[in-house]
Amino acid sequence: MTTTPHQIDIHEILKLLPHRYPFLLVDRVVDMELGKRITAVKNVTINEPFFNGHFPHRPVMPGVLMLEAMAQVGALLSFKSGHVTPDDSSVYYFAAVDGARFKRPVEPGDQLIVEVEFERSKGGISKFRGKARVGDELACEAELMCAMRRVDR
């Protein structure tokens, strides 16, 4: 499948993010305006390992994983916009979350649409505003900060 400059498929996501199963929480970027905003998809399936314990009688995606998905999507926006460049000697850490609100449970079979807007970047720290939806319903929203740091190997 061919993607446009405003889309990112799983192959490019794997090149940009260090995360791997079971912690990669972005399946596809469906729209992006460099330096401004990005929209991505996370397909939520029953075979994800967190559903075994959260909760066995009523599987629900943990809210912290929705926030992590937003942070991963924000990192993709930063990388593609040129704010930071991923490499083997750096890590893009989740640095802060403010104003997190959870409005709707996310269950197996849902498609989580993650929308992130870039707010600002300074000194390797970027700030974003994120929302996650299922259809037209808001599931989660928060302000996020991520920081690029060098690591010794």
Side-chain angles (χ1 to χ4, degrees):
M1 176 179 219
T2 306
T3 59
T4 72
H6 303 289
Q7 299 176 343
I8 305 174
D9 65 17
I10 191 64
H11 305 290
E12 189 170 356
I13 290 168
L14 289 168
K15 290 177 186 172
L16 293 169
L17 294 179
H19 307 81
R20 295 296 178 264
Y21 178 84
F23 221 70
L24 180 62
L25 300 173
V26 184
D27 293 321
R28 176 174 289 279
V29 171
V30 294
D31 192 29
M32 178 173 36
E33 186 177 351
L34 294 178
K36 295 188 179 186
R37 61 171 188 77
I38 187 170
T39 302
V41 173
K42 163 65 178 147
N43 294 305
V44 182
T45 62
I46 190 63
N47 62 339
E48 299 191 61
F50 54 80
F51 283 132
N52 289 327
H54 199 268
F55 301 100
H57 64 284
R58 178 74 183 210
V60 176
M61 184 177 188
V64 295
L65 293 183
M66 287 186 262
L67 296 173
E68 174 64 26
M70 285 183 206
Q72 290 179 19
V73 171
L76 290 168
L77 178 60
S78 286
F79 295 153
K80 293 300 285 185
S81 297
H83 298 295
V84 291
T85 303
D87 61 35
D88 289 341
S89 62
S90 62
V91 175
Y92 203 58
Y93 288 115
F94 195 170
V97 61
D98 290 314
R101 299 286 182 263
F102 303 95
K103 305 288 189 174
R104 176 202 192 280
V106 176
E107 301 173 318
D110 285 343
Q111 187 175 64
L112 194 65
I113 306 299
V114 180
E115 302 166 338
V116 174
E117 293 180 7
F118 176 77
E119 291 196 342
R120 67 180 176 272
S121 183
K122 183 176 181 183
I125 298 175
S126 298
K127 186 171 183 182
F128 305 93
R129 181 175 308 278
K131 292 182 180 182
R133 302 180 188 281
V134 175
D136 292 333
E137 294 181 75
L138 182 64
C140 175
E141 62 185 343
E143 292 180 1
L144 312 166
M145 287 179 34
C146 299
M148 175 66 92
R149 296 291 181 250
R150 305 305 278 172
V151 293
D152 294 326
R153 295 200 92 195

